[in-house]
Amino acid sequence: MAAVGDLQFEEFGNAAATAAENPGATTISIEGPGESPTHQAGLPRGSGGEEDDELLGNDDSDKTELLAGQKKSSPFWTFEYYQTFFDVDTYQVFDRIKGSLLPIPGKNFVRLYIRSNPDLYGPFWICATLVFAIAISGNLSNFLIHLGEKTYHYVPEFRKVSIAATIIYAYAWLVPLALWGFLMWRNSKVMNIVSYSFLEIVCVYGYSLFIYIPTAVLWIIPQKAVRWILVMIALGVSGSVLAMTFWPAVREDNRRIALATIVTIVLLHTLLSVGCLAYFFDAPEMDHLPTATAAPNQTVAAAKAR
Amino acid sequence: MRSHIREFDSSTLNESVQNTIMRDLKAVGKKFMHVLYPRKSNTLLRDWDLWGPLILCVTLALMLQRSSVDSEKDGGPQFAEVFVIVWFGAVTITLNSKLLGGNISFFQSLCVLGYCILPLTVAMLVCRLVLLAEQGPINFMVRLFVVIVMFTWSIVASTAFLADSQPPNRKALAIYPVFLFYFVISWMILTFTPQ
């Protein structure tokens, strides 16, 4: 037993030495001139396959246990502080997206998937994809609807991208801010068991917007009924994710206030989707205009439509 | 050794302007070749420069600019809009990959992303030439095919250079924004209509 203890002591010493020389080994000459040595925080846990692997693993597990209690300990002006918001793996992002698409009644999205590791990757890139999906689909659907009209000259409508970006990013950040402020205020009045941090609310809102990406692509179909059915489905899925997430947070409160909160959340969500549909997608006409059959150069348009 | 280095330093000060320009142009041209035939090599990463991305971005933005006659109507992107999209897109992707824990430096990543716009700039040139012919569905199909091929080429080239610098369990998270970036640029190229 004493021998094992001695060995362990030696191994720790070795680990310190190898840990000291390992960063030097992995970060070779790829560094740029003004680079600060902040990469050590972002070292992947799976690096290194030698016999020192277990030693590094022990060190890392010790470190993770220590850090789990104090998650964001770096001051906010360092790079590591923001790296803690991107501490997700690919499978985790996929799991969270799946959780937002399949709301299970009784299961809380935040407790199940986020579990005190909120990330900003999902909300940011889902919003970016949604902005471009809406702008491109709107453009494409308008082109297809007005195909064959003589007086319509196709323009790419690039300004709509900036408008879409403003709307969606404002929704994904200001509404969670308002909701968080409101919940904090109610929390000071009524003792709630469940309270969410601002980042967790941003996370839920970001991931709940994912369903709108395929919805926006399907909105290209120029049928009013199809579009409204899609709105209903998307609203149902993402609205229920939001409602089921925030119901435990307001459940203890005054009945009317709790219901009003949930209704407001769903209403704002509805406003976003209906507003996007109305603004970016022209209404499909039910019948074709009679001017389309008159002129002889409609054969070109007919060839385009085929 | 020291006298060698001093000699080298003073010789670049005293050389003719043509030598300096030709040296930089040759470096840019070498990197263009690396993008066109992407192999896993470190040249793009080691000696990064931003001349190539600047030339490509300016060329692309000039070609995508709509004529200023009908600037009142909502039309295609202006020069500034394309410029902003390319550079802010590249900066955002670089920040994203660094935040996810990649070990590539800021300017190296900008360099790679900028150079991999080369296939799409070639696609823009081809599209402009094709648009000189008569319009029609065949015209559109040709342009669509060219843009899709060049888009795939850009993605393959940038992935070959950038993928190794990411932690293995987050590669898809770092590559997806690159895909979105080149997709948006391809969309702008495809929907370009003259006049």
Side-chain angles (χ1 to χ4, degrees), chain A:
Chain A
M1 269 317 181
V4 175
D6 280 333
L7 260 177
Q8 286 224 332
F9 188 69
E10 274 177 30
E11 281 172 358
F12 273 27
N14 275 348
T18 47
E21 55 179 300
N22 242 359
T26 48
T27 60
I28 354 169
S29 58
I30 315 184
E31 306 265 332
E35 204 59 55
S36 60
T38 55
H39 291 309
Q40 275 72 1
L43 258 180
R45 309 237 167 89
S47 66
E50 294 89 347
E51 66 265 11
D52 303 330
D53 198 16
E54 287 183 18
L55 313 171
L56 287 175
N58 279 343
D59 264 328
D60 267 342
S61 67
D62 280 352
K63 255 190 250 171
T64 46
E65 278 174 36
L66 279 174
L67 284 176
Q70 20 165 350
K71 187 115 196 271
K72 303 171 178 52
S73 55
S74 324
F76 67 90
W77 55 82
T78 57
F79 195 66
E80 282 94 7
Y81 178 72
Y82 298 102
Q83 265 186 329
T84 55
F85 301 142
F86 283 77
D87 195 15
V88 277
D89 294 336
T90 311
Y91 75 92
Q92 281 177 318
V93 173
F94 280 150
D95 275 344
R96 291 176 186 191
I97 292 180
K98 210 167 33 121
S100 80
L101 288 177
L102 307 165
I104 306 175
K107 293 247 179 91
N108 192 338
F109 181 76
V110 174
R111 201 175 303 141
L112 198 58
Y113 292 105
I114 302 197
R115 257 190 249 138
S116 78
N117 184 19
D119 70 309
L120 285 181
Y121 177 89
F124 183 77
W125 286 109
I126 290 179
C127 288
T129 313
L130 186 60
V131 163
F132 288 114
I134 286 189
I136 291 179
S137 306
N139 204 4
L140 202 55
S141 106
N142 289 351
F143 173 71
L144 288 176
I145 286 177
H146 296 285
L147 198 61
E149 282 175 20
K150 264 180 58 186
T151 53
Y152 183 74
H153 173 65
Y154 169 73
V155 284
E157 285 178 328
F158 193 73
R159 206 140 292 161
K160 293 212 166 163
V161 173
S162 359
I163 298 176
T166 316
I167 294 177
I168 290 182
Y169 273 103
Y171 180 80
W173 285 87
L174 292 182
V175 173
L177 187 65
L179 188 60
W180 176 73
F182 176 75
L183 287 177
M184 284 294 119
W185 175 59
R186 294 311 299 174
N187 229 353
S188 67
K189 298 260 182 96
V190 177
M191 203 55 213
N192 282 327
I193 304 177
V194 177
S195 73
Y196 298 123
S197 73
F198 172 59
L199 281 171
E200 285 169 353
I201 301 184
V202 168
C203 223
V204 173
Y205 263 86
Y207 279 104
S208 75
L209 284 176
F210 180 79
I211 182 89
Y212 285 109
I213 297 176
T215 311
V217 172
L218 286 176
W219 272 341
I220 297 179
I221 303 175
Q223 297 292 331
K224 245 193 187 149
V226 171
R227 285 183 179 177
W228 281 100
I229 292 177
L230 287 170
V231 168
M232 292 297 145
I233 296 176
L235 204 54
V237 170
S238 60
S240 59
V241 168
L242 287 177
M244 282 194 286
T245 305
F246 289 109
W247 180 245
V250 292
R251 195 170 37 197
E252 324 284 317
D253 209 344
N254 188 351
R255 199 80 185 172
R256 244 179 273 162
I257 295 188
L259 277 177
T261 314
I262 301 289
V263 165
T264 313
I265 292 176
V266 175
L267 206 62
L268 283 171
H269 222 62
T270 316
L271 208 62
L272 178 78
S273 54
V274 171
C276 282
L277 178 62
Y279 184 69
F280 292 103
F281 295 82
D282 285 347
E285 280 103 357
M286 283 305 165
D287 45 352
H288 289 289
L289 303 171
T291 57
T293 55
N297 52 1
Q298 275 316 100
T299 49
V300 176
K304 252 200 244 174
R306 285 300 142 250

Side-chain angles (χ1 to χ4, degrees), chain B residues 35-78:
Chain B
V35 170
L36 286 178
Y37 304 107
R39 306 177 295 277
K40 279 205 196 298
S41 86
N42 269 339
T43 314
L44 227 67
L45 289 179
R46 256 199 330 255
D47 324 309
W48 57 268
D49 75 81
L50 292 179
W51 284 115
L54 183 67
I55 295 173
L56 288 172
C57 181
V58 166
T59 314
L60 194 63
L62 278 175
M63 286 197 286
L64 273 175
Q65 189 183 13
R66 62 171 184 250
S67 69
S68 54
V69 178
D70 56 352
S71 57
E72 288 313 310
K73 287 171 46 124
D74 201 13
Q78 289 282 26

Side-chain angles (χ1 to χ4, degrees), chain B residues 91-128:
Chain B
V91 165
T92 311
I93 296 176
T94 307
L95 279 178
N96 176 65
S97 82
K98 283 180 77 70
L99 283 168
L100 282 173
N103 60 355
I104 193 173
S105 98
F106 184 75
F107 288 107
Q108 282 166 351
S109 172
L110 278 187
C111 168
V112 169
L113 288 169
Y115 269 103
C116 291
I117 298 182
L118 176 65
L120 287 172
T121 312
V122 169
M124 183 74 222
L125 278 165
V126 171
C127 281
R128 273 221 107 140

